[in-house]
Amino acid sequence: MACKKASDNLIFSSLACLVLVLQMSGASCQGVQGGYWFPGSGVSASGIDSTLFTHLFCAFADLDTTTNTVVVSSANTQPFSTFTADVQQTNPNVVTLLSIGGGASSPGDFSNMASQTSSRQSFIDSSISLARSYGFDGLDLDWEYPESDTAMSNLALLLNEWRAAITAEAQSSGKDPLLLTAAVYYSSIHDGISYPVSSLSSSLDWINMMDYDFYGPGWSSVTGPPAALYNPGNQVSGDNGVTAWLQAGMPVQQMALGFPFYGRAWTLQDANDNGFFAPATGAAISSDGAIVYNQILSFITQNSATAAYNSTYVSNYCYSGTTWIGYDDTESISTKVAYAKEKGLLGYFTWHVGGDSNWALSQQASTTWNS
Ligand SMILES: *[C@@H]1O[C@H](CO)[C@@H](O)[C@H](O)[C@H]1NC(C)=O
């Protein structure tokens, strides 16, 4: 990004910065250093070190299938309504987005909503009102995932109408337009079905590519790098996803690379076979093997586990006895952020900030991005 580069021509760099800000409708010169947060994730909103982020996503608002409106559960009303004020105490410039949907929501509900003009309009209008009434700067759609070509076409209609409504609302309110983003699959093709890339590009400010959950005990009978940046033996990696999005026509400056502040734990078949792709009998630690970074560090300390970094895949792993965990530590994070920078991506984001340990990973990411 032009405005990030040191320049002895201050006037030029200010202009370049201004142009970029206008183009990105709100994404600052720092690009996107993003993080998702949800209530009960181990940190309160006011406890987030928001100086390490440019954008924070509050997860999740829900789709009410009766009214096709965006709603916040009663338990989340208080934390969501104060989220922006809470995170801006530490960093008044941090930009906030309300995220809708998520991995636990039903993709069919979104398909139904997106299939009719009237229900799309209810969804769009209610999302804008909700974002404004709670003081968010933007909206983020986490529809995981549109499951047919029809659903993808309807996603395109939804996004086009959403962008038009956001532009109109900004004109009538005199406020800056809300940002509009979406969390998407790591690749531009999900289960053989392509995203409507030109609509994503024209209607969204950017996409958050979910470059994780590549391997997990629920779907892989061997250990693996859960969020590999590279994967010489297989198509599943962050780099392959970035390449697919670029080939499908997504502009590089509208793409943010995702990485997890959690890992996946397996039970090894044989404690002595403890590398990648080692036979496993199932999940360890939790039912789906998910374990956040700060708990992984505790596991290593308490069990004197062996920890290693593999630069071929860009993944950390550790093991003790028959428990094996693949995850991202500071080496993986810094390599991924350096990759995002070098590729010219808009930035990066993490799921989720509550998994960090004393902000070590967030700090590493921010330092690498701004270096
Ligand atoms: C990473 O792991 C793979 C698979 O186990 C191995 O072949 C490779 O040598 C490792 N790379 C490094 C740098 O340790």
Side-chain angles (χ1 to χ4, degrees):
M1 268 160 286
C3 63
K4 284 180 84 309
K5 295 207 176 92
S7 169
D8 50 13
N9 185 337
L10 285 175
I11 294 169
F12 172 76
S13 81
S14 306
L15 280 173
C17 181
L18 181 65
V19 168
L20 190 77
V21 166
L22 292 173
Q23 276 171 349
M24 294 319 304
S25 11
S28 76
C29 286
Q30 295 161 296
V32 168
Q33 302 170 242
Y36 282 81
W37 172 86
F38 60 93
S41 57
V43 66
S44 64
S46 54
I48 299 171
D49 185 350
S50 52
T51 62
L52 300 172
F53 299 93
T54 58
H55 296 77
L56 287 167
F57 298 81
C58 178
F60 285 106
D62 308 304
L63 165 60
D64 180 313
T65 54
T66 316
T67 57
N68 286 301
T69 57
V70 179
V71 294
V72 170
S73 70
S74 53
N76 286 343
T77 304
Q78 195 281 329
F80 283 29
S81 62
T82 59
F83 180 80
T84 300
D86 287 345
V87 298
Q88 287 183 345
Q89 277 173 16
T90 325
N91 174 5
N93 297 321
V94 75
V95 173
T96 62
L97 296 94
L98 177 61
S99 193
I100 306 162
S105 62
S106 159
D109 293 345
F110 283 90
S111 307
N112 287 338
M113 176 276 292
S115 67
Q116 305 288 331
T117 308
S118 59
S119 45
R120 288 196 300 270
Q121 193 178 346
S122 303
F123 179 85
I124 289 167
D125 292 348
S126 63
S127 74
I128 294 172
S129 310
L130 192 61
R132 287 302 191 198
S133 71
Y134 283 4
F136 286 99
D137 304 304
L139 289 158
D140 174 59
L141 177 67
D142 279 22
W143 173 356
E144 299 180 26
Y145 297 95
E147 69 280 58
S148 66
D149 288 325
T150 307
M152 287 293 190
S153 313
N154 291 334
L155 169 63
L157 294 176
L158 174 71
L159 295 180
N160 297 347
E161 292 163 9
W162 211 346
R163 170 57 66 191
I166 282 174
T167 303
E169 189 273 344
Q171 275 160 4
S172 65
S173 71
K175 297 175 180 166
D176 288 341
L178 291 167
L179 293 171
L180 185 61
T181 63
V184 295
Y185 195 52
Y186 84 96
S187 171
S188 63
I189 302 171
H190 177 259
D191 268 356
I193 303 156
S194 296
Y195 274 96
V197 174
S198 67
S199 268
L200 266 56
S201 171
S202 61
S203 301
L204 296 175
D205 288 282
W206 73 88
I207 56 169
N208 284 340
M209 299 175 292
M210 295 188 273
D211 301 294
Y212 39 82
D213 293 337
F214 298 151
Y215 294 86
W219 52 98
S220 26
S221 60
V222 294
T223 64
L229 182 59
Y230 303 110
N231 193 339
N234 187 298
Q235 285 306 301
V236 185
S237 72
D239 180 56
N240 277 327
V242 166
T243 302
W245 277 108
L246 290 173
Q247 282 175 353
M250 194 69 194
V252 71
Q253 71 277 11
Q254 283 183 280
M255 294 162 51
L257 188 79
F259 40 72
F261 284 0
Y262 67 92
R264 294 278 181 184
W266 283 258
T267 301
L268 295 168
Q269 226 168 62
D270 174 357
N272 295 316
D273 188 359
N274 49 30
F276 289 137
F277 316 117
T281 58
I285 311 256
S286 66
S287 59
D288 59 358
I291 170 172
V292 294
Y293 176 63
N294 57 59
Q295 289 171 349
I296 296 170
L297 294 187
S298 301
F299 171 86
I300 293 171
T301 306
Q302 281 161 16
N303 299 282
S304 305
T306 305
Y309 170 64
N310 185 300
S311 60
T312 311
Y313 292 87
V314 187
S315 180
N316 293 80
Y317 62 100
C318 66
Y319 53 90
S320 171
T322 55
T323 303
W324 190 101
I325 308 173
Y327 64 104
D328 279 7
D329 209 324
T330 49
E331 301 94 329
S332 298
I333 298 294
S334 62
T335 305
K336 289 177 181 186
V337 172
Y339 167 96
K341 239 180 120 165
E342 190 195 304
K343 281 268 171 187
L345 301 186
L346 175 65
Y348 63 82
F349 74 94
T350 184
W351 176 273
H352 60 89
V353 297
D356 208 347
S357 175
N358 296 319
W359 306 106
L361 299 181
S362 307
Q363 181 73 65
Q364 181 67 61
S366 179
T367 302
T368 305
W369 183 256
N370 292 305
S371 67

